[in-house]
Amino acid sequence: MQDRIHTADAEPGDDVTVAGWVHEIRDLGGIAFLILRDSTGKIQIKFEKDEMDEELVDTGLGVSRESVVSVSGAVEEEPRAPTGVEITPESVEIVAPADPELPLDPSGKVDADLSTRLDNRTLDLRKDDVQAVFEIRSEILRAVREQFREFSCTEITTPKIVATGTEGGTELFPITYFGEEAFMNQSPQLFKQLIAGSNVERVFEIGPIFRAEEHNTPRHLNEATSIDFEGAFCDQNDAMDVVEGVVKAAYEAIAENCADELEALGLEDEFEVPEEAFPRISYEEAIERINATGELDEQLVWGDDLPTEGEKALGDDVGGHYFITDWPSEIKPFYIKDHDDDDQLSTGFDLMHPRMELVSGGQREHRHEKLIEGFEQQGLDPEQFEYYTKMFKYGMPPHAGFGLGGERLIMTILGLDNIREAVLFPRDRQRLSP
Amino acid sequence: MQDRIHTADAEPGDDVTVAGWVHEIRDLGGIAFLILRDSTGKIQIKFEKDEMDEELVDTGLGVSRESVVSVSGAVEEEPRAPTGVEITPESVEIVAPADPELPLDPSGKVDADLSTRLDNRTLDLRKDDVQAVFEIRSEILRAVREQFREFSCTEITTPKIVATGTEGGTELFPITYFGEEAFMNQSPQLFKQLIAGSNVERVFEIGPIFRAEEHNTPRHLNEATSIDFEGAFCDQNDAMDVVEGVVKAAYEAIAENCADELEALGLEDEFEVPEEAFPRISYEEAIERINATGELDEQLVWGDDLPTEGEKALGDDVGGHYFITDWPSEIKPFYIKDHDDDDQLSTGFDLMHPRMELVSGGQREHRHEKLIEGFEQQGLDPEQFEYYTKMFKYGMPPHAGFGLGGERLIMTILGLDNIREAVLFPRDRQRLSP
């Protein structure tokens, strides 16, 4: 199919073959138009009924919407056509007919609920705005990886089948692995740390994570994309610098390379690249500011986790991305290091978007004996994690990192209502197929 | 840790702080050297025992190998030092001491078997040659994605938790998904086809696949990285063009960007980028040529699958990468389309490296009724795959694609003996941890 060109490449004066989907047929009586759509856009095919071969006219105008057709003919200028050109067809071939009863209308004129859309993703993705989300997703992945490489990171791949979870047995999907019990990994945490402790030093991974959470909300997925970083000889401030760079790189790449997609989403005017440094607000300041908003029924006290309404109030107050730093040690996982001068205060941080948490990170506990204590305090048996802890006996440098939720990043950048709109085939409590 | 610089950046005349692992201590009597190693290389730290503070000397020379130390001092030219410079230390801090009993020697002087290496990857990855494999792996992933984007592909992410396998229930790891039976996906095949049938048209994915194969060989993994492509309005020849471009791009990127890594692997002289077009040999010609080599005890006849020794004989004969095209339909999966003029002959192809198969691909069956027939012939219930087959009723264009084994690509490019050397934490029948 080497001779097919994209509709966007059809230039007046050329004889071309285009192929794509029948987007619409407009019959005005003596003249009629078939609007053909492909990945690059749409083009008008003109049928002058009385002047053209009857069979050609019947074929071209009798075909059902969303059928795949191949059209050969001459491209001419036509200022009244949507793209300024049209094709007068010499031949029309029906490559793949479509059932006239479509479960979903790809022209977007008839709304469909999310469940119907996800059941029929192939049709759903024929809509400009849905396609735009996934073209932007692809661009975000590209830009994020490029930015990690700018930060001297090596890309790694860690296993998704594991013997033990990162934080114990909760929220793990069990697998049968050749008769043995195993799990789908909920985070590359332990593995990326093991690599940061080698000569590779700085690593990133973008890959799937699996969480058997019962939550069924517009911001939770049971299979998600995690954007992970870990760096030796890094502290929490270095990790915050990296994540800030990565998030900004995603926005910048969209502004630079996705003008058409932003327009398809109606975001061309409101899309903004965050220019300012993301403020780094301590947990202590965060609860003071939340209390000062008066949005909560009860005042927060030191040691409380931040409720969703509290995060929302602070997000409105700050008005953009911000970090919350220096959390109480108790709230953060055991592998997050405490401050050297205050063991009630951890080096953990979150990166917040006004709508939700995007990132969790911090400097890691790199001292073997402290790590073992941490497992015990968490109620976990350190023996089960010996494959991990033993490497901390052989020169484990201080290191820091983070995990950034890929779909949450896309969702907040594009203002999507539901995280499922950022995934081709989401997995949740109800949805296992397609 | 903002003031630490890498050893490779230490310039004579500078006062610097470097941090890394104690690679070696060479005590010559009045003078002694600590060789410090980080991700960028090694540097010599000089101790003149009689002229320096006793505590400093004791600390610097008493530290065990593979401990993490931070050293501040003046960089001076020293032609006899391995990198032409050395540091006279003003302070030495032991950041993370290492147990003197190491389970593996990162200097590489003592050989370790693969199992010990995999059990201690953090130490194993402190060896230059092992680090080089994974730096090159990272570069291959970058180059392959860039090449896909050159071919106008959109990067996609498909689910790893699925309700049904690509080719039925064999070789799947079962999961318990909120009380329902589910599986870990063995291939993104069905999902990438569903997206190629939308406006997105050309897609690629690099992600994990899971196969419960009983094979335990140097070329099989139970969790592997699959490099997948699918393109609408593509036939098998277009797909072969794409995979040839992608494989060559990987070689070219290594030649251009990984000189140090090739040297660490001792490949600097023998590494070659394939320049010629990969020959496209029909299955029929392949069996003739294999028979002509006289390497097999029994002559192959049309319809036989190619035995490993046959592939080896042909690989030696061709002497480089080659395609085998036009396979008997019976040998290829049902979703591969037959030639229009001969339904015994499929459009399926394999890309072979002389050592092993790298790729399987072809044009796909895009006609709904033929696809349903294919499921039935395979003994599969089409009802179970309705989420997939129903989209073929709504204008599914002709499309083609392939799956390329990521680890096999790395293994053949670098001449690794065992595919486990191309993965940080391999998963096989025996190995589930780390």
Side-chain angles (χ1 to χ4, degrees):
Chain A
M1 301 165 204
Q2 308 277 10
D3 53 355
R4 173 211 184 206
I5 68 158
H6 274 126
T7 58
D9 300 328
E11 296 288 343
D14 291 351
D15 281 312
V16 302
T17 297
V18 293
W21 293 267
V22 176
H23 185 67
E24 200 180 351
I25 290 180
R26 290 187 201 141
D27 198 328
L28 309 178
I31 195 165
F33 302 104
L34 184 162
I35 310 299
L36 183 146
R37 189 190 68 237
D38 67 12
S39 63
T40 64
K42 303 184 186 80
I43 199 162
Q44 174 168 303
I45 317 291
K46 180 175 65 179
F47 292 87
E48 289 171 302
K49 293 183 191 172
D50 296 338
E51 292 168 34
M52 288 168 72
D53 178 74
E54 200 175 328
E55 208 183 308
L56 184 70
V57 173
D58 288 350
T59 305
L61 300 180
V63 65
S64 54
R65 281 176 53 209
E66 295 307 314
S67 295
V68 175
V69 295
S70 174
V71 175
S72 297
V75 185
E76 284 153 42
E77 252 179 278
E78 172 48 70
R80 288 166 297 176
T83 59
V85 296
E86 65 181 8
I87 294 178
T88 303
E90 271 163 40
S91 74
V92 175
E93 185 200 347
I94 299 180
V95 178
D99 191 323
E101 294 285 324
L102 299 172
L104 183 146
D105 174 18
S107 77
K109 286 179 191 154
V110 183
D111 265 354
D113 62 24
L114 186 58
S115 178
T116 304
R117 291 177 46 202
L118 296 176
D119 284 342
N120 299 281
R121 260 301 196 203
T122 306
L123 289 167
D124 187 44
L125 271 160
R126 294 184 190 163
K127 292 187 284 199
D128 288 349
D129 56 341
V130 180
Q131 183 187 358
V133 169
F134 291 96
E135 300 291 357
I136 288 175
R137 181 182 165 115
S138 175
E139 176 62 11
I140 289 173
L141 293 175
R142 190 201 61 72
V144 163
R145 289 198 199 91
E146 186 176 276
Q147 187 60 49
F148 276 125
R149 292 181 198 278
E150 289 286 315
F151 283 125
S152 305
C153 296
T154 301
E155 181 171 0
I156 60 169
T157 311
T158 64
K160 307 310 161 201
I161 302 178
V162 297
T164 57
T166 308
E167 294 165 40
T170 57
E171 303 190 341
L172 291 168
F173 289 114
I175 318 169
T176 308
Y177 190 79
F178 298 118
E180 278 189 75
E181 182 186 63
F183 302 97
M184 302 187 72
N185 208 7
Q186 72 196 124
S187 154
Q189 182 65 33
L190 308 186
F191 297 99
K192 65 180 179 171
Q193 288 187 260
L194 289 179
I195 307 306
S198 80
N199 277 11
V200 182
E201 286 194 13
R202 284 178 167 225
V203 300
F204 77 95
E205 177 171 21
I206 303 183
I209 57 167
F210 308 94
R211 301 200 171 183
E213 285 183 351
E214 299 277 339
H215 295 298
N216 213 5
T217 80
R219 64 171 83 176
H220 286 91
L221 290 167
N222 294 107
E223 177 174 344
T225 303
S226 187
I227 300 172
D228 275 273
F229 164 80
E230 201 69 28
F233 305 104
C234 287
D235 62 20
Q236 72 275 24
N237 294 305
D238 299 322
M240 283 188 270
D241 291 344
V242 172
V243 75
E244 183 166 338
V246 161
V247 169
K248 286 180 172 170
Y251 279 87
E252 283 159 12
I254 295 168
E256 200 163 325
N257 303 319
C258 301
D260 291 348
E261 287 78 9
L262 288 175
E263 204 183 323
L265 289 162
L267 295 175
E268 65 275 26
D269 293 328
E270 61 192 83
F271 185 79
E272 268 180 49
V273 177
E275 305 284 351
E276 303 293 316
F278 297 167
R280 299 181 184 189
I281 298 169
S282 73
Y283 164 86
E284 190 172 355
E285 185 188 338
I287 56 173
E288 280 167 18
R289 285 176 68 167
I290 292 169
N291 286 339
T293 64
E295 293 286 332
L296 298 194
D297 295 338
E298 260 183 86
Q299 294 285 86
L300 295 171
V301 298
W302 204 92
D304 287 344
D305 205 347
L306 302 189
T308 307
E309 322 87 77
E311 290 177 357
K312 203 186 161 320
L314 185 55
D316 290 344
D317 192 24
V318 178
H321 293 86
Y322 62 99
F323 290 100
I324 305 178
T325 66
D326 304 299
W327 286 77
S329 303
E330 259 189 30
I331 300 183
K332 286 290 171 186
F334 67 91
Y335 53 75
I336 300 282
K337 192 169 174 289
D338 297 331
H339 280 277
D340 285 331
D341 55 1
D342 184 351
D343 67 5
Q344 299 302 302
L345 212 58
S346 87
T347 63
F349 65 83
D350 289 354
L351 173 62
M352 308 295 298
H353 178 277
R355 288 181 66 196
M356 71 190 78
E357 180 188 328
L358 294 178
V359 168
S360 185
Q363 186 173 343
R364 314 310 187 179
E365 181 53 70
H366 69 283
R367 295 161 297 183
H368 182 259
E369 65 282 11
K370 290 275 182 194
L371 190 69
I372 299 288
E373 278 173 31
F375 273 101
E376 285 163 351
Q377 281 166 13
Q378 198 91 353
L380 296 172
D381 178 6
E383 287 276 314
Q384 284 209 325
F385 294 84
E386 209 221 339
Y387 70 86
Y388 163 74
T389 60
K390 74 173 174 182
M391 287 300 123
F392 286 66
K393 292 193 288 190
Y394 306 121
M396 180 59 75
H399 57 288
F402 62 79
L404 161 61
E407 283 78 16
R408 288 187 170 202
L409 180 63
I410 298 163
M411 185 181 175
T412 51
I413 288 178
L414 298 181
L416 304 176
D417 289 331
N418 193 314
I419 198 164
R420 290 159 185 77
E421 295 176 67
V423 196
L424 287 169
F425 301 102
R427 292 291 174 259
D428 61 30
R429 290 254 5 207
Q430 273 76 44
R431 185 168 285 278
L432 182 54
S433 178
Chain B
M1 299 165 206
Q2 308 278 10
D3 55 356
R4 173 210 184 207
I5 67 157
H6 274 126
T7 58
D9 301 326
E11 298 288 341
D14 290 351
D15 281 311
V16 301
T17 297
V18 293
W21 292 268
V22 177
H23 186 67
E24 201 181 351
I25 290 178
R26 291 188 200 138
D27 198 329
L28 309 178
I31 195 166
F33 302 103
L34 182 162
I35 310 299
L36 183 144
R37 190 191 68 239
D38 66 13
S39 63
T40 64
K42 304 184 185 79
I43 199 162
Q44 174 168 302
I45 317 291
K46 179 175 66 180
F47 293 87
E48 290 173 301
K49 294 183 192 172
D50 296 340
E51 292 169 34
M52 288 169 70
D53 177 75
E54 200 174 328
E55 207 182 309
L56 184 68
V57 172
D58 287 350
T59 303
L61 300 179
V63 64
S64 54
R65 283 175 52 210
E66 295 306 316
S67 295
V68 176
V69 296
S70 174
V71 176
S72 298
V75 185
E76 284 153 42
E77 252 179 278
E78 172 48 70
R80 288 167 298 178
T83 59
V85 296
E86 66 181 9
I87 294 177
T88 303
E90 270 163 41
S91 73
V92 174
E93 186 201 346
I94 299 180
V95 178
D99 191 322
E101 294 284 324
L102 300 171
L104 183 146
D105 174 18
S107 77
K109 285 178 191 155
V110 183
D111 267 353
D113 62 24
L114 185 58
S115 178
T116 304
R117 291 177 47 204
L118 296 177
D119 284 342
N120 300 281
R121 261 301 195 202
T122 305
L123 288 167
D124 187 44
L125 272 161
R126 294 183 190 165
K127 292 187 284 199
D128 289 347
D129 56 341
V130 180
Q131 183 187 358
V133 169
F134 290 97
E135 300 291 359
I136 288 175
R137 182 183 163 112
S138 175
E139 176 63 10
I140 289 174
L141 293 175
R142 189 200 61 73
V144 163
R145 287 198 200 93
E146 186 175 275
Q147 187 59 52
F148 276 124
R149 292 181 199 277
E150 289 285 315
F151 284 125
S152 307
C153 297
T154 301
E155 181 170 359
I156 61 170
T157 311
T158 64
K160 308 310 162 202
I161 301 179
V162 297
T164 57
T166 308
E167 296 165 39
T170 57
E171 304 188 340
L172 291 169
F173 289 114
I175 317 168
T176 309
Y177 189 79
F178 298 117
E180 278 190 74
E181 182 186 64
F183 301 97
M184 301 187 72
N185 208 7
Q186 71 196 120
S187 155
Q189 182 64 35
L190 307 187
F191 297 100
K192 65 181 179 170
Q193 289 186 258
L194 289 180
I195 307 307
S198 80
N199 277 11
V200 182
E201 287 194 14
R202 285 179 165 224
V203 299
F204 77 95
E205 176 171 24
I206 303 181
I209 57 168
F210 309 93
R211 302 201 170 182
E213 286 183 351
E214 299 278 338
H215 294 297
N216 213 5
T217 79
R219 63 172 83 175
H220 286 91
L221 290 166
N222 294 106
E223 176 175 343
T225 304
S226 187
I227 299 172
D228 275 274
F229 165 79
E230 202 69 28
F233 305 103
C234 287
D235 63 19
Q236 72 274 24
N237 294 307
D238 300 323
M240 282 189 271
D241 291 345
V242 171
V243 73
E244 184 167 337
V246 160
V247 168
K248 286 180 172 171
Y251 279 87
E252 282 160 12
I254 295 168
E256 201 164 325
N257 303 320
C258 302
D260 290 349
E261 286 78 10
L262 288 175
E263 202 182 324
L265 289 162
L267 294 175
E268 65 276 27
D269 293 328
E270 61 191 83
F271 185 80
E272 269 179 49
V273 178
E275 305 284 352
E276 304 293 317
F278 297 167
R280 299 181 184 189
I281 298 169
S282 73
Y283 165 85
E284 190 171 356
E285 184 188 339
I287 57 173
E288 279 166 18
R289 287 176 68 167
I290 292 169
N291 285 339
T293 64
E295 292 287 332
L296 299 193
D297 296 338
E298 260 183 87
Q299 295 284 88
L300 295 171
V301 298
W302 205 92
D304 288 345
D305 205 348
L306 304 188
T308 307
E309 321 89 75
E311 290 177 356
K312 202 187 162 320
L314 184 54
D316 290 345
D317 192 24
V318 178
H321 293 87
Y322 62 99
F323 289 100
I324 305 179
T325 66
D326 304 300
W327 286 77
S329 303
E330 260 190 31
I331 301 182
K332 286 291 171 185
F334 67 91
Y335 53 75
I336 300 284
K337 190 168 174 292
D338 297 331
H339 280 276
D340 285 330
D341 54 0
D342 184 351
D343 68 3
Q344 300 299 301
L345 212 59
S346 86
T347 63
F349 65 83
D350 289 355
L351 173 62
M352 308 294 299
H353 178 276
R355 289 180 66 196
M356 71 190 79
E357 180 189 327
L358 294 178
V359 168
S360 187
Q363 187 175 340
R364 315 309 187 179
E365 181 52 70
H366 68 283
R367 295 162 296 184
H368 182 258
E369 65 282 12
K370 290 275 181 193
L371 191 68
I372 299 287
E373 279 172 32
F375 273 101
E376 285 164 353
Q377 281 165 15
Q378 197 93 352
L380 296 172
D381 178 6
E383 287 276 315
Q384 284 208 327
F385 294 85
E386 209 221 339
Y387 70 86
Y388 164 73
T389 60
K390 73 173 174 181
M391 288 299 123
F392 286 67
K393 292 193 287 190
Y394 306 120
M396 178 60 74
H399 57 287
F402 62 79
L404 161 60
E407 283 78 16
R408 287 187 170 203
L409 180 64
I410 298 163
M411 185 183 177
T412 52
I413 289 178
L414 298 181
L416 305 176
D417 288 333
N418 193 314
I419 198 164
R420 291 161 183 77
E421 294 176 66
V423 195
L424 288 169
F425 300 102
R427 291 291 173 258
D428 62 30
R429 291 253 6 207
Q430 273 76 47
R431 184 167 286 278
L432 182 54
S433 176

